[in-house]
Amino acid sequence: ILGIRTEWVPTVQTQVIGRTKARGFAVEHLGVTSWPGAAGAANLYVPDGGGPVPAILLCCGHDAGCKTSPMYQAMAQRLTAMGAAVLVPDNIGQGERTTMGHADCVAPFACGTSVQGLIAMETMAWVEWLRRDKRVDPARIGVIGNSGGGLLSMLIGALCPAITAVASSGYPSSFDYIGIKEKKHCHCNILPKVVGRIEMWQVYAAIAPRPLFLFQGIHDDMFPVDIFHASARRVAWAYGQAGAADRFRMAAVPGTHPWDAARIELTAEFLGGVFS
């Protein structure tokens, strides 16, 4: 469905092009090459002190600026304060990479892959990059994301056995519902032939028995909360079948679509419990 192949997953090469020091942590500004000729950028938040430390891969959605979104910066700083390194890459066509195209990009589909497939393969490469970093504990790598990042965190959790915990929000619902929404879809949200072949709860279930937290704003007008509950209950059933009921958590909380301070704290609480 995604149009990905193991042999297409690139090896990320990075160069530190700048460093910002803050109280308790530093941010390394990375220049990136994934596939030959495919340039990118990322921020790596590194807590003060020694390592190896847990690492969190923060998957961006469609917030303006991608990695520089205030919401993502707030989440990264909160998790870094807990002693985790946090990696926030710009997805293809977002942030510093907008000239690549994203929302209306069609060429990948003509080549037998998809926009989300390319993003997923590059993100899989970032997981391996984190595993190679000596400052990171490879046994404690989590992935989180909201909205488009909720989709990406779901996929990476299912595709990458090295991921040890997943927090996904602002997306858990159903592929059928998303497919029939009366709005123009960003092309990263188009998964060819997914409707009728597999449902979202089944992809989340593939993360079992690793810890998984699904959450949603009660007043999210993009993904109705009743559809969230229906999907999350099926995931809970699957975790029970896997003997891992205690490793699944779901919550519908006050709020709309984006992360807010309360959901940042919920995410920090979940990850702190997993990685403590």
Side-chain angles (χ1 to χ4, degrees), residues 112-226:
T113 183
S114 63
V115 177
Q116 190 59 232
L118 293 175
I119 293 171
M121 286 189 285
E122 199 173 69
T123 308
M124 292 165 69
W126 275 118
V127 174
E128 292 308 309
W129 182 89
L130 281 170
R131 284 167 53 83
R132 297 193 304 269
D133 193 311
K134 299 301 183 184
R135 297 168 293 183
V136 169
D137 179 353
R140 294 186 293 169
I141 299 178
V143 60
I144 65 174
N146 185 67
S147 192
L151 166 60
L152 184 54
S153 58
M154 171 183 67
L155 297 175
I156 296 305
L159 290 166
C160 295
I163 293 297
T164 49
V166 179
S168 179
S169 65
Y171 200 84
S173 54
S174 82
F175 292 127
D176 179 67
Y177 168 74
I178 291 171
I180 62 175
K181 289 181 74 170
E182 293 189 13
K183 62 173 290 184
K184 181 181 181 296
H185 284 283
C186 175
H187 282 40
C188 75
N189 200 44
I190 298 173
L191 308 182
K193 300 181 181 180
V194 69
V195 175
R197 291 184 64 186
I198 191 170
E199 253 309 345
M200 199 177 296
W201 72 267
Q202 294 170 306
V203 184
Y204 279 118
I207 298 169
R210 293 165 289 163
L212 171 63
F213 180 31
L214 303 183
F215 55 104
Q216 175 83 8
I218 293 172
H219 303 293
D220 189 330
D221 59 4
M222 296 183 68
F223 300 97
V225 70
D226 57 339

Side-chain angles (χ1 to χ4, degrees), residues 5-171:
R5 298 181 187 175
T6 302
E7 62 268 28
W8 290 352
V9 176
T11 298
V12 171
Q13 304 292 334
T14 62
Q15 179 181 3
V16 179
I17 58 176
R19 194 170 187 270
T20 301
K21 185 69 181 74
R23 184 175 181 180
F25 68 96
V27 182
E28 294 182 354
H29 308 286
L30 305 177
V32 178
T33 301
S34 52
W35 295 279
N43 284 339
L44 177 66
Y45 293 72
V46 183
D48 292 347
V53 298
I56 310 300
L57 175 57
L58 195 164
C59 297
C60 293
H62 290 93
D63 283 71
C66 207
K67 68 181 181 303
T68 61
S69 161
M71 177 176 67
Y72 298 144
Q73 292 190 58
M75 177 68 86
Q77 291 176 35
R78 176 65 181 90
L79 299 178
T80 305
M82 296 170 52
V86 183
L87 175 66
V88 194
D90 281 339
N91 292 326
I92 292 169
Q94 294 179 271
E96 295 185 55
R97 311 173 78 188
T98 54
T99 54
M100 287 181 170
H102 181 104
D104 298 308
C105 183
V106 298
F109 301 100
C111 297
T113 183
S114 63
V115 177
Q116 190 59 232
L118 293 175
I119 293 171
M121 286 189 285
E122 199 173 69
T123 308
M124 292 165 69
W126 275 118
V127 174
E128 292 308 309
W129 182 89
L130 281 170
R131 284 167 53 83
R132 297 193 304 269
D133 193 311
K134 299 301 183 184
R135 297 168 293 183
V136 169
D137 179 353
R140 294 186 293 169
I141 299 178
V143 60
I144 65 174
N146 185 67
S147 192
L151 166 60
L152 184 54
S153 58
M154 171 183 67
L155 297 175
I156 296 305
L159 290 166
C160 295
I163 293 297
T164 49
V166 179
S168 179
S169 65
Y171 200 84

